[in-house]
Structures are given as C-alpha cells and as structure tokens.
Amino acid sequence: MNFNIVSLPGDGIGPEVSAAVPVILRKIGELFGHEFQLNEHLIGGAAIDSCGQALPSETLQACKNADAVFLAAIGGPKWDDGDIRPEQGLLKLRSELEVFANIRPLTVYETLKPFSPLKPEILEGTDFIVVRELTGGIYFGKKNREANFASDECRYSINEVQRIARVGFELAKQRNRKLTSVDKANVLESSKLWREVVTRIGEQEYPEVELHHQLVDSCAMKLIQTPSEFDVVLTENMFGDILSDEASVLAGSMGLLASSSVGSRYGLFEPIHGSAPDIAGQGIANPYATILSIAMMLRWLKLSTEADSLEQAVSASIENGVLTVDLKPYSQVTTQQVIQTVADNLTKIVGSIDSSRSARNQPLVKPVEQSPQVACAGEA
Ligand code: IPM
Ligand code: MN
C-alpha cells in the first residue's frame, strides 16, 4: 500500500529523534511491501525562525492532506520571550486536526525496572493508558490579561466530554474493563459536568466496565503508591498533561513514552517528551518514544502486523541493553545506533516470521521518498 506521511521534526532534539522516521518507514516498506512518501515540514520555533509563524499554512495543509502526521518536539528557551510561542503551533495543529483524544500508554520493560524511581514490588503489574482530552478545557478557553490580573477559562461541553469518555470506555472494554475518571469535582464546575457525563455514558453504554471517579490530587498520589491498580485513566486536558508526565517516569525514562492523538479523521503521533534543549545537538537523545509513536501510527493505519513487529524490535533492543544515557549511566550509545539496532532487529524478526514470503516474492524494496523541508509564506 501507499501512504503519505508528514514528519514535523520541530525543535531541540526533535530533528535528531525524527531521523528514526525515514529509517524505520523505509525498513517497514521493504519488509512488508509498502511505499511511504515522507515529507518534512516546519513547526514551532524552527517555523518562527524561518517565517515568523509557529504553524505555517503550508504545514497545516500538508498535515491535512497526509494519511498520518508525526511530530517530534517543539519549544525551547530561545523563544521564551517572543511574541509568538512555539507551543501555539502545536495547539493550533491539534485543534485544526480535531484530534481530541490523546492516548498515552505506559509500558514497563522488565530490564528497565531498576531505573524506575519506584520499588520493583510496587511497580509489579503496572500497565495502564492515560486517555487525555486534547482540544478543550483550560488550554483552549478564553484568556485575558490586564494590568493587574490574568485569567484562563476552563470550559467543557457535554459533547466534548461524551466523545472522549467513549474513547476511554472502548479502550477499557478491550483491556481489563476498569476506567478511572479523574477530575476535581469537589471544586470545579467543569469537573462536576465531566463526572455527570462520564457516569451517564458508563451506565447507559458500558455497564460491563467498572467505573471509578478519582480526584486529581489523590490520583497523583495513587499513581506512585499503587500504579498497578490503574487500567485506563480518563481525564481532561491539563490534568492529563500533568499526570502523564508523572506516569512516564515510572517506566524509567520519559524518553520511552509514545502517544497518539486522534479524532474522527486525522491522526497525529508524538513522543510525550519535550525538545530537551539541554542535550540537543549531542546525538544522545533517546529515540524509543519516537519509534514507538511510529508503531502507534502504523496500527492506526491498520498495519497491525507491522506495528507489532516494530514493538517487538524495540523490546528486543531494550532487553539487549541498547540504551541511551538517560537510561544507562555512562552509556555511549547514540540516537543513531539505537535507530539502526531497531531497524536491524526488524529485519531479523520479520525475516523469521515470514521467511517463506521473501522466498516466493520479488524483493520488496520500496524506498521512502523524502523531500526537503518546505519553506513557508503565511500563517495557517
Ligand atoms: C505535551 C506537551 C504540550 C502540552 C506542550 C508542548 C504545549 O507538554 O504534549 O504534553 O502541554 O500539551
Ligand atoms: Mn506535557
């Protein structure tokens, strides 16, 4: 099959980890007979520097025309004091693509348990998914700034809560049928609405799913105290941002967590880590979250065998100790070496599950066609 993929490397370590995208897609294409047309575009600080906009209209248009979009990371201190912030580009992209459901799975790899800040017995059995509402709430409410005060409105409609609740319940149904909805219903009106709507959807549509409501402050505590009790964590935009960063370190490093952001039409796939300007340019950034985000993208494109193989290739590299310095003290392993190891593992894994096919068929070598980053002229 043919796919048109947009990659947005962004800022800081973004371009370094994005180097995985052509390598992995080329390998998947070769092994499974697909053709990936890959185009890179500007976003965030890189776009502000080139054309004064965080989300140029060319980038947005290319994303809307693509089958799927990968975004690495945006932002950095360089743009802290400017009129336009790189983050505005990402928020606008999420909103324009209407990717309201952000799915952040937490996988704990056996070998990496020693790198978790938690004791192994507490971590045992931890495996949950954070489902974060991504296009509403305080991120997108009315903002006001006057001489002596500032405000940000947190607003949710019933429809916005219903659609994200269904995503959470559907995932819970496929897993251990336990959904924890996180809010601050003891204080916030928007959370009271959230709780009522989630309760109703649960009762009417998903009676087989065990629904728990938890206040966000106590959830932050429980994630550390009893992480294995969670299955699907459903929450609003800002709580999800905070809790997913907290959850990510349970696995050993933030550099491992992937995410997908989906709506009724588009799919945007991002590692959950930031642009890490402190280590940018050194070639030591951890690319696993990027590679796992590509696996989520493949699954969303209905290439589930391909996605499974890629996840296996990642597990094999991790279990073999191919780790960057965030996970292994004094490690000299570079971003490029991790990427190459995963690609080599893919060849071995797919070769062994399907050696008969390559013997029967023509070699399936289809290059990833990559065009240079397109410059920009206007704002999206
Ligand atoms: C994330 C990031 C973004 C967010 C920033 C960069 C706007 O922290 O994807 O979690 O807050 O959503
Ligand atoms: Mn975040």
Side-chain angles (χ1 to χ4, degrees), residues 339-353:
I339 297 169
Q340 200 48 54
T341 307
V342 174
D344 294 345
N345 285 345
L346 258 176
T347 309
K348 287 185 214 149
I349 287 165
V350 179
S352 68
I353 58 170

Side-chain angles (χ1 to χ4, degrees), residues 94 104 132 139 238 240-242 244-245 254 272-274:
R94 288 172 176 170
R104 300 184 160 188
R132 168 188 177 195
Y139 273 56
M238 189 160 75
D241 180 44
I242 298 166
S244 60
D245 266 29
M254 234 193 153
I272 85 150
H273 62 68

